[in-house]
Amino acid sequence: MAAPDTTTTNRPARRYVPWLSWVRVAAAIAVVSGHVCTHLVWEWGKVSDREWHFGNLVAATSRFSVPLFVMASGAVLLQAGRNQSLRDFYARRASRLAIPLVAWSVFYIWFGRWMTDVELVWTDFSKLMLLGRPYYHLYFLFVIIGLYLITPYLRIFVNAAPRRYLVTGTVLIMAMTFFDKLHRVLNGLPLEPNAFSYFLPWIGYYLLGYVLLTMPMPASRRRVGWIAGTTFVVTMLVNAMGNWVMHMAYGNRYGLMLYHHHLLGPMIMAIAAVFLMRAVFGDGEAVETTAREGAAAADKPKKRPVGQRLADLTLGIYLMHPIPIAFIREYQPRFSSPWSSIGYHSAGIVAVLAVCAATAWLLLRIPYARRLV
């Protein structure tokens, strides 16, 4: 590893940003909740009304999750003042994602075949890897890898462009993605890209994370918190009611159309969630202004904030959570009432989060195994 550069003392102050940790925690909880309960929405007409509405409400609440993960990555990696060569940047990102991508892809391709009693053939690996979907949740790694590949070039744009160009460019990209997805949904066209193009629709969210990180709070934290929280809840309820109306009119024909990550509802919820987290947890204080001050601070170890320690577990939770969920589904009992089903699914969310968080915590403390999460 190259020696640290000690000559750039005028770079912007680095700081711990509490809300960036907590949006990752919230996103992990939402991902697990959605994957535990959303199958109830697909079972329209097969489950009771109470069960369906419960699943629909959880699905509506959880759809901001992956956008939050992408926005948090953009906020961190697009910041100014990072003087890395292309080689160093790509080497660091590859060491972070290459092992999880290969190891978990191989495992889940086998796991998916084992759970469905389908014979595994070697061509499954190449085919599913090129499709960018070794398992239903692993597309996210292909999204992040694609965004990492273009990050050095996006940094040049965000560092050099006037603020109005950055904001209008971000809005334009997100608007184009929105209309593309809307057109595809309404016309029954395929939505899924492949390993080489999964990241493209997410560039807008990636830039948006940086835009929101560098945007001053428009009002007091208390006021922003109330407005953001209200916006989030209202948008979620409108989406849930809209999905109910569409199911009554068309059944499962349009499925979870309103919950697509790039449509308006999840976009608004993701932005509202960021402002809510900023209002609750704050933007943090500068912790390093010069290399000399940074070295002095390193001599005084400080306990890492709770949010940061929990955020360290989120990748592991994301990667592992389909395993316990598969067994929760496989051994789901017959329910005597809709409330039993709702209780079972609610307990399942808590259990999956607890098991995956504990496993991720353990793996992070094992020298070689920690590379998996």
Side-chain angles (χ1 to χ4, degrees):
M1 180 180 292
D5 182 3
T6 59
T7 62
T8 55
T9 58
N10 294 323
R11 65 190 180 195
R14 293 173 55 203
R15 67 184 193 276
Y16 166 61
V17 184
W19 68 264
L20 280 175
S21 292
W22 286 104
V23 295
R24 290 172 59 192
V25 175
I29 295 171
V31 164
V32 171
S33 301
H35 286 166
V36 169
C37 300
T38 302
H39 75 97
L40 294 171
V41 182
W42 289 106
E43 295 175 18
W44 170 266
K46 300 178 183 178
V47 297
S48 68
D49 288 346
R50 283 194 180 94
E51 289 174 276
W52 189 89
H53 284 297
F54 171 75
N56 185 42
L57 196 62
V58 173
T61 307
S62 68
R63 297 306 288 179
F64 70 101
S65 52
V66 177
L68 274 192
F69 275 130
V70 174
M71 290 162 69
S73 296
V76 171
L77 292 175
L78 293 176
Q79 292 182 63
R82 293 177 175 271
N83 299 308
Q84 283 180 298
S85 67
L86 285 176
R87 180 178 177 179
D88 289 342
F89 177 83
Y90 287 140
R92 183 173 181 181
R93 299 304 132 193
S95 68
R96 181 75 177 102
L97 283 183
I99 292 176
L101 175 66
V102 174
W104 288 107
S105 294
V106 170
F107 169 78
Y108 275 112
I109 290 170
W110 166 81
F111 182 73
R113 297 296 186 266
W114 179 67
M115 288 297 295
T116 55
D117 291 323
V118 175
E119 183 181 357
L120 177 67
V121 295
W122 289 110
T123 54
D124 290 338
F125 293 98
S126 58
K127 180 175 70 176
L128 292 174
M129 290 294 284
L130 290 174
L131 287 174
R133 210 171 180 87
Y135 209 62
Y136 65 83
H137 70 309
L138 288 183
Y139 77 93
F140 177 71
L141 293 183
F142 291 90
V143 170
I144 293 300
I145 288 172
L147 292 173
Y148 283 172
L149 287 174
I150 64 170
T151 291
Y153 312 101
L154 290 178
R155 282 181 180 172
I156 296 172
F157 168 63
V158 300
N159 291 341
R163 179 73 180 183
R164 65 182 183 277
Y165 283 22
L166 174 60
V167 173
T168 55
T170 301
V171 171
L172 180 62
I173 291 171
M174 295 193 70
M176 292 174 67
T177 303
F178 165 75
F179 285 114
D180 173 66
K181 297 301 180 184
L182 183 64
H183 162 70
R184 290 174 178 273
V185 166
L186 293 178
N187 289 282
L189 300 174
L191 286 172
E192 301 301 336
N194 56 51
F196 306 101
S197 59
Y198 252 119
F199 76 97
L200 291 172
W202 294 94
I203 295 174
Y205 275 122
Y206 197 61
L207 288 169
L208 182 62
Y210 177 80
V211 168
L212 296 183
L213 174 74
T214 54
M215 177 185 293
M217 286 288 270
S220 67
R221 285 173 58 178
R222 181 183 180 87
R223 185 175 182 183
V224 169
W226 277 107
I227 293 173
T230 302
T231 301
F232 183 93
V233 171
V234 169
T235 306
M236 179 269 292
L237 291 175
V238 168
N239 254 21
M241 292 179 66
N243 194 45
W244 180 29
V245 169
M246 291 188 67
H247 273 75
M248 287 192 294
Y250 304 106
N252 264 341
R253 178 181 174 186
Y254 291 105
L256 301 174
M257 184 189 82
L258 294 180
Y259 298 153
H260 195 282
H261 296 123
H262 301 286
L263 294 186
L264 201 57
M267 283 185 185
I268 294 172
M269 290 173 64
I271 295 170
V274 167
F275 277 109
L276 179 60
M277 294 293 176
R278 287 186 67 183
V280 173
F281 297 106
D283 292 331
E285 301 294 334
V287 296
E288 181 183 339
T289 55
T290 67
R292 181 176 296 178
E293 290 170 356
D299 295 334
K300 301 176 182 178
K302 189 176 180 181
K303 192 173 182 180
R304 299 171 73 237
V306 173
Q308 198 172 24
R309 283 180 282 159
L310 290 175
D312 289 343
L313 306 177
T314 55
L315 179 60
I317 292 172
Y318 185 90
L319 292 171
M320 290 184 288
H321 76 274
I323 303 171
I325 288 176
F327 289 102
I328 286 175
R329 296 263 187 87
E330 181 72 18
Y331 298 104
Q332 179 174 305
R334 290 175 176 246
F335 300 110
S336 58
S337 73
W339 295 113
S340 300
S341 174
I342 292 171
Y344 178 84
H345 285 86
S346 300
I349 294 171
V350 175
V352 171
L353 285 168
V355 168
C356 293
T359 306
W361 181 87
L362 181 63
L363 290 175
L364 285 170
R365 278 147 185 80
I366 301 174
Y368 293 103
R370 66 183 303 160
R371 302 292 295 274
L372 294 172
V373 294

